[in-house]
Amino acid sequence: MPEFIINTDDNVYVPAEDSYLLADNLEIEHGMSVLEIGTGSGIVAMYASRLTDNITVTDINFDACELARKNFQANNIENIEILFGNLFEPLENRKFDVILFNTPYLPTEEGEVIDDTLNYAFDGGLNGRKVIDLFLNELKSHLNDGGIVQMIQSSLSDNEETLAKLDELGFMAEIKASEHFFFEDITLINAYKV
């Protein structure tokens, strides 16, 4: 895959193994509409821009929106719409063919929360599911029939619960890829709306 110029910012998640696990396994065909929630530096969206022209990204961190804009410009990528806001909030009733999300999946105790916008990138609440469950609850109304969700989470935030919730929502879901790190598996879950 092509390499990109990536600027970083202390207030924005720096692309890491989880970012590339998603970027390397994108299931996007030309002409599909793509939404990435929590774009951060914009790295995943930049890989997606090589596959389709219709991409929208959101982030709750305004610094991330600005950094993504800077990175898209540095790489001459002009086909990505950037929206500031939490999860699906800035999208109203729009639907997409593909939804991507490298979730904030780390279980976080009160004393581990950092007083900084970077906290949004990893803080999954006490059980690691605070944001994942909010995302899953709204997912169906923003995905076209036949669409796919590709989301990254951790074994620490209960993959089985995510698969069960997706099943309840009528998706066909599977763990598509995973990588083992010290004390957890980072997993890519693919879910198809049938």
Side-chain angles (χ1 to χ4, degrees), residues 107-188:
T108 310
E109 300 280 340
E110 202 174 304
E112 297 171 318
V113 173
I114 56 173
D115 186 22
D116 196 300
T117 52
L118 183 61
N119 192 69
Y120 291 125
F122 68 85
D123 183 357
L126 287 175
N127 61 359
R129 302 196 55 85
K130 178 174 74 175
V131 180
I132 291 170
D133 289 336
L134 288 172
F135 169 74
L136 293 175
N137 290 340
E138 293 184 62
L139 182 58
K140 210 168 181 180
S141 58
H142 291 282
L143 190 67
N144 289 325
D145 291 341
I148 178 176
V149 177
Q150 295 191 275
M151 58 185 286
I152 296 286
Q153 71 168 73
S154 161
S155 54
L156 298 175
S157 48
D158 197 344
N159 292 317
E160 293 308 315
E161 186 170 343
T162 298
L163 292 171
K165 281 187 185 263
L166 286 163
D167 187 54
E168 280 170 33
L169 290 166
F171 287 85
M172 284 177 47
E174 63 178 346
I175 293 178
K176 186 69 176 180
S178 69
E179 285 186 29
H180 183 73
F181 298 98
F182 309 108
F183 50 87
E184 66 181 326
D185 291 323
I186 302 297
T187 54
L188 167 62

Side-chain angles (χ1 to χ4, degrees), residues 3-59:
E3 289 300 312
F4 296 100
I5 299 164
I6 301 290
N7 298 290
T8 58
D9 180 311
D10 289 345
N11 295 326
V12 180
Y13 185 70
V14 176
E17 292 86 353
D18 50 1
S19 314
Y20 292 102
L21 184 62
L22 182 53
D24 289 341
N25 288 283
L26 295 174
E27 292 197 14
I28 298 170
E29 292 174 20
H30 187 72
M32 285 181 163
S33 58
V34 176
L35 167 66
E36 185 192 11
I37 300 279
T39 195
S41 67
I43 184 67
V44 172
M46 288 192 276
Y47 279 99
S49 75
R50 298 283 192 244
L51 305 170
T52 191
D53 292 333
N54 185 353
I55 301 172
T56 300
V57 299
T58 70
D59 208 296

